[in-house]
Amino acid sequence: MQYDAVVIGLSAGGMNVMKIIFSLLPKDFSTPVIIVQHISPRSDSQWIGLLNDKSNLAIKEADEKEKIKNGTVYIAPANYHLLIEKNKTFSLTIDERVNFARPSIDVLFESAAEAYKNKLIGVVLTGSNHDGAKGIKRIKECGGLAIVQDPKTAESAYMPTSAMAAVKPDYILSLEEIIDLLIKIDKQKE
Amino acid sequence: MKAKLNQYTPEIEPHMQSHLAAIVEAVYQKYGYDFRQYSEAHIKRRIMNRMAMSGLEDISQMPSKILNDEEFAFKLLQDLSITVTEMFRDPGFYRSLRENVIPILRTYPFIKIWHAGCSTGEEAYSMAIILQEEGLYDRTAIYATDFNQRALNRAKEGIFSNKLMKEYTANYQLSGGKESFSDYYTSNYDHVIMNQSLKKNIVWANHNLVTDSVFAEVHLILCRNVLIYFERELQNKTQKLFYDSLINGGILCLGAKEGLRFTDLYEKYIELDKKQRIFKKKY
Ligand SMILES: C[S@@+](CC[C@H](N)C(=O)[O-])C[C@H]1O[C@@H](n2cnc3c(N)ncnc32)[C@H](O)[C@@H]1O
């Protein structure tokens, strides 16, 4: 099976997790990766620059109307919801918070599921909120692949556990195993 | 195939686009509000939310519901108009406004400012506060417009929840405000009322950026977090409206994540503050 995009959601303890992800993803990883991390509405985009130093891939904040490209990692800006349009471009909105969060993982996942259908991989990682549960369910309903971090290995188990209560994931793995799996799937593309 | 409540299945997705188009068309035909070039993912999310709350069983029932049930249509219109806003939202922007825009405004004998998409007014009140502190408010007219009359009515009242004041005070201070923020309103139990002296030069008016034409000739336009909801073509059209409304050398302020780069007018402005999205119309 070929996949056209990976969406990832995480909250508490997310920063260290992000660093690990980016240090493990190789330079030739081609599937676009789109990430929502719960962060303070006041944070600016500088931390994305800091992540870039640690990464083999190009990491950038998602811009409104931007076309999603291979080999790129996109991060939702603070204080905006990130949505994906059918033509694989981004939209930003400042609607009400969802699950106390803006950006919300559910908002990204649901719109991504409908844009990418069965060509999407959804990943729910560590977090202390049930955001992402509805979204990962929607990804499965639309035929995509659902991966959840093994709660035993997550800094905060609440988010993975909520996701598993909402839907039966295709994989329950540690962070390192998830990255291995993503790399394997990505290689099949060529 | 029926779409049950919110639980729409992938099989109905091929028809989803035509359902959405029919809904948006019904809103336009009956009520004149044109959402046909708004971002589809956004419109869809709002429509599916409204559907989940309404008890409608099938999305195909929605167009006739809109045509026949004004109360329902009104709720949907509120859903589609996102009125989320704050006082001194993005304090860094207001700081830059004080530093980079106020000195330009100071050169005019009379100042006209247009807040397009002002929602419930917090942005216009923030502006009035800055102008008062800079000694410019008495020679200013602020036109604050929105297409959401309910939001405008609330803006005009200038009554806000007391719970928000802590955050707004922090925003105000971060934006470079030196006075005591609580001097700008009167507290009354759970709400506050903005001072009459801030309201006096604000004109609240109903204006639709999609269907109405140039509103006035002004020195400064703020249109923040409105254009993100528009598709690119409509963004372009609206930018043309702003360009035509600004005097030469006039200032355009967009939202923190909005830009001109992809519009036809990029060349016609100078960037005054790239990060805070402040642009100056070339002479
Ligand atoms: C998210 S609020 C932004 C409020 C404020 N400018 C800010 O940045 O905090 C967007 C506002 O734009 C208004 N709006 C959306 N489409 C519009 C249109 N076609 N014409 C006028 N106002 C519109 C909505 O009613 C809403 O009040």
Side-chain angles (χ1 to χ4, degrees):
Chain A
M1 187 67 204
Q2 298 233 345
Y3 293 95
D4 291 343
V6 182
V7 289
I8 299 178
L10 66 164
S11 71
M15 209 52 197
N16 290 329
V17 177
M18 295 259 254
K19 281 189 192 139
I20 297 171
I21 298 175
F22 296 136
S23 64
L24 293 177
L25 283 177
K27 205 186 168 93
D28 58 358
F29 190 89
S30 71
T31 316
V33 178
I34 304 145
I35 301 179
V36 163
Q37 187 196 359
H38 294 156
I39 37 170
S40 143
R42 286 209 204 282
S43 36
D44 64 13
S45 323
Q46 268 168 356
W47 60 283
I48 294 177
L50 298 177
L51 282 174
N52 246 317
D53 300 341
K54 306 255 180 314
S55 161
N56 303 308
L57 290 164
I59 305 178
K60 70 181 297 297
E61 194 175 83
D63 275 324
E64 63 118 15
K65 306 284 184 289
E66 181 173 10
K67 184 115 194 111
I68 298 170
K69 288 210 291 267
N70 281 344
T72 311
V73 179
Y74 300 93
I75 297 179
N79 217 6
Y80 288 79
H81 290 304
L82 178 64
L83 292 87
I84 300 179
E85 300 285 341
K86 261 211 294 307
N87 63 6
K88 315 293 156 49
T89 60
F90 290 119
S91 282
L92 297 176
T93 79
I94 42 163
D95 306 17
E96 301 79 10
R97 286 156 196 270
V98 174
N99 310 319
F100 309 103
R102 189 174 56 220
S104 146
I105 300 165
D106 279 343
V107 171
L108 171 68
F109 279 20
E110 285 174 358
S111 64
E114 286 148 28
Y116 283 102
K117 308 257 167 22
N118 61 352
K119 302 282 186 197
L120 182 71
I121 303 174
V123 183
V124 175
L125 299 177
T126 176
S128 52
N129 174 313
H130 63 269
D131 197 18
K134 269 178 77 183
I136 195 88
K137 178 159 180 263
R138 187 76 192 126
I139 289 175
K140 277 234 75 167
E141 282 168 6
C142 293
L145 191 73
I147 305 176
V148 174
Q149 184 175 11
D150 185 344
K152 289 196 293 289
T153 70
E155 193 159 324
S156 176
Y158 194 82
M159 203 147 89
T161 312
S162 306
M164 284 160 60
V167 73
K168 190 171 176 309
D170 297 291
Y171 295 93
I172 302 169
L173 302 168
S174 73
L175 181 60
E176 287 74 11
E177 290 166 337
I178 291 173
I179 303 298
D180 277 350
L181 177 63
L182 292 178
I183 294 171
K184 213 183 299 158
I185 293 173
D186 185 66
K187 285 238 170 75
Q188 287 169 7
K189 266 185 160 175
E190 285 133 35
Chain B
M1 170 106 207
K2 270 194 170 185
K4 280 272 156 57
L5 276 169
N6 201 16
Q7 178 213 323
Y8 43 114
T9 48
E11 294 85 81
I12 66 133
E13 287 290 320
H15 304 288
M16 183 49 92
Q17 206 159 11
S18 52
H19 285 308
L20 294 176
I23 290 166
V24 164
E25 191 62 36
V27 168
Y28 180 55
Q29 292 306 336
K30 174 92 191 252
Y31 304 96
Y33 291 96
D34 188 355
F35 291 99
R36 291 176 298 180
Q37 291 184 70
Y38 278 54
S39 134
E40 190 182 301
H42 157 67
I43 292 283
K44 177 174 172 182
R45 214 173 86 74
R46 304 310 293 189
I47 287 177
M48 295 320 293
N49 277 349
R50 177 50 48 199
M51 194 152 127
M53 281 188 284
S54 69
L56 277 182
E57 287 218 333
D58 186 335
I59 190 167
S60 66
Q61 298 168 343
M62 217 187 233
S64 67
K65 182 94 173 153
I66 288 164
L67 295 173
N68 300 316
D69 183 344
E70 287 196 8
E71 204 178 316
F72 176 82
F74 180 75
K75 283 191 191 135
L76 182 65
L77 281 171
Q78 289 299 324
D79 293 336
L80 293 175
S81 142
I82 307 298
T83 56
V84 175
T85 185
E86 281 170 36
M87 283 200 199
F88 293 96
R89 170 188 239 159
D90 306 318
F93 162 72
Y94 285 93
R95 187 179 280 274
S96 179
L97 191 82
R98 280 185 203 262
E99 280 165 20
N100 300 309
V101 179
I102 291 291
I104 298 175
L105 295 181
R106 212 180 279 291
T107 63
Y108 302 117
F110 191 77
I111 304 159
K112 287 193 255 174
I113 300 175
W114 178 18
H115 288 264
C118 67
S119 186
T120 40
E122 285 83 340
E123 190 183 78
Y125 284 111
S126 308
M127 177 66 81
I129 288 172
I130 291 184
L131 292 166
Q132 218 171 55
E133 291 182 1
E134 299 291 337
L136 296 178
Y137 193 46
D138 283 337
R139 50 175 157 122
T140 300
I142 295 179
Y143 306 107
T145 67
D146 204 285
F147 73 167
N148 181 336
Q149 190 58 43
R150 194 166 86 165
L152 279 176
N153 292 345
R154 288 190 40 206
K156 198 176 202 160
E157 287 173 1
I159 299 176
F160 303 108
S161 163
N162 219 337
K163 281 201 295 262
L164 299 168
M165 289 305 134
K166 206 172 135 210
E167 197 192 337
Y168 291 175
T169 305
N171 280 356
Y172 166 76
Q173 284 162 352
L174 284 169
S175 80
K178 299 264 184 316
E179 308 297 317
S180 149
F181 188 63
S182 57
D183 288 349
Y184 291 113
Y185 56 78
T186 314
S187 280
N188 203 340
Y189 301 104
D190 55 346
H191 60 266
V192 308
I193 305 174
M194 300 312 290
N195 288 354
Q196 190 55 38
S197 71
L198 294 172
K199 293 181 183 174
K200 67 175 184 194
N201 293 342
I202 308 179
V203 179
W204 307 99
N206 197 311
H207 180 274
N208 189 325
L209 289 167
V210 182
T211 45
D212 293 332
S213 52
V214 168
F215 182 78
E217 186 167 72
V218 298
H219 302 90
L220 168 62
I221 294 175
L222 288 91
C223 184
R224 311 190 71 226
N225 301 306
V226 181
L227 297 174
I228 42 172
Y229 295 101
F230 294 7
E231 280 176 2
R232 188 148 276 164
E233 211 175 302
L234 184 58
Q235 288 182 341
N236 255 316
K237 190 179 148 227
T238 313
Q239 286 296 356
K240 177 84 170 56
L241 183 72
F242 293 152
Y243 186 79
D244 292 341
S245 306
L246 277 176
I247 62 152
N248 287 334
I251 310 288
L252 174 67
C253 301
L254 302 177
K257 302 297 168 196
E258 294 163 332
L260 283 172
R261 184 96 41 86
F262 299 106
T263 68
D264 307 336
L265 292 158
Y266 184 57
E267 301 290 314
K268 305 214 182 251
Y269 287 89
I270 303 160
E271 277 173 341
L272 269 193
D273 184 336
K274 190 169 178 197
K275 178 154 190 271
Q276 302 301 342
R277 319 287 163 132
I278 303 177
F279 305 87
K280 184 175 176 187
K281 178 172 165 178
K282 287 183 186 167
Y283 283 92

